Amino acid sequence: MSKAFDLSGRVAIVTGGNGGIGLGMATGLAHAGASVLIAGRNAGKNAAAVKALHKQGAKAAAFEADVTVQAECVALIAAASRQFGRLDILVNNAGINIRKQPQDYTLDEWKTVLDTNLTSAFLCSQAAYPALQKAGGGKIINIGSMLSIFGAAFAGPYGASKGGIVQLSKSLACAWAKDNIQVNAVLPGWIDTELTRRAREDVAGLHERVLARTPAARWGDPADFAGIAVFLACSASDYVTGAAIPVDGGYSTQV
Ligand code: NDP
């Protein structure tokens, strides 16, 4: 492996790293040599993911945290330094969706989606900033969506949160470039995970529409996110910041 892509000695946090895209990214980072702390609310899912990572020889641990709670974001960041001695990479991946027509959301539902998908990324990044400064620089990878670009009738708060992720990434990139911290967003297309398995049940015809519109002619797999995670976490991407990179099999390039 080229040295530029080597993450030996680096420490990463992946929120929502106990499954789906987050676990795909955590696996990629671990294979490149990073120690990985995954965070999620579900202790059983956390333990199963750590077991799977250990089985592959990864240095990994889990921290039970709800990233909608500021104190838990702060505790998560502290746990990385306590467990592995430093922090270099933060992947803000935790996310949910509540699918409804805009007129039907309660304020609580709006807040739950915005807090989970957007405010959490701000809180974890803010909490991580001193540790990244201390490490001499770092990498923040925020997970957007095709809904960062397009609209959908059933995804008002989700789309607002994912549009916000792109703009938050740009502002953090501008503010912290002086600290050698690069901040980028990844915009997944349609990926086969727990989240979209529910969407396929809720939204009639979704599965076929995704296949028809995706030039790669398949749903994405969490393993498709290992490469972009390593690239955006390593020194090969030191001159890439504030970008929003689709990983979508071409979905966003085809009308
Ligand atoms: P999953 O449902 O498989 O994973 C979501 C993860 O987020 C879980 O690990 C979950 O863990 C965690 N999570 C949710 N809420 C919280 C919370 N409050 N605190 C801590 N962790 C939380 O979904 P995906 O892998 O599909 O999604 C990952 C990211 O990718 C999300 O941001 C999603 O919006 C985005 N995305 C996904 C797409 C897809 O097609 N799948 C497309 C575009 C974007 P736990 O339940 O244990 O808390």
Side-chain angles (χ1 to χ4, degrees), residues 16 18 21 41-42 45 66-67 93 144 158 162 189 191 193 196:
N18 65 20
I21 291 171
R41 297 161 300 179
N42 183 313
K45 275 162 67 183
D66 179 343
V67 293
N93 162 80
Y158 185 87
K162 294 300 188 178
I191 317 305
T193 68
T196 48

Side-chain angles (χ1 to χ4, degrees), residues 18 31 46 57 61 69 76 89 109 113 173 187 210 221 237 245 252:
N18 65 20
H31 283 177
N46 286 349
V69 180
L76 167 64
I89 300 150
E109 288 170 332
V113 175
L187 314 184
V210 167
D221 185 87
S237 62
I245 303 174
S252 60

Side-chain angles (χ1 to χ4, degrees), residues 18 29 39 42 48 67 73 79 88 94 106 140 152 167 176 180 224 235:
N18 65 20
L29 296 172
N42 183 313
V67 293
C73 295
D88 306 278
T106 64
I140 298 177
Q167 296 307 115
W176 295 343
N180 189 29
D224 290 317
S235 63

Side-chain angles (χ1 to χ4, degrees), residues 6-12 29 33-36 59 84 86-89 135 137-139 233-235:
D6 185 10
L7 296 177
S8 303
R10 304 286 156 136
V11 176
L29 296 172
S35 302
V36 181
K59 294 182 280 294
F84 295 118
R86 56 187 288 144
L87 178 68
D88 306 278
I89 300 150
K139 305 282 189 175
C234 76
S235 63

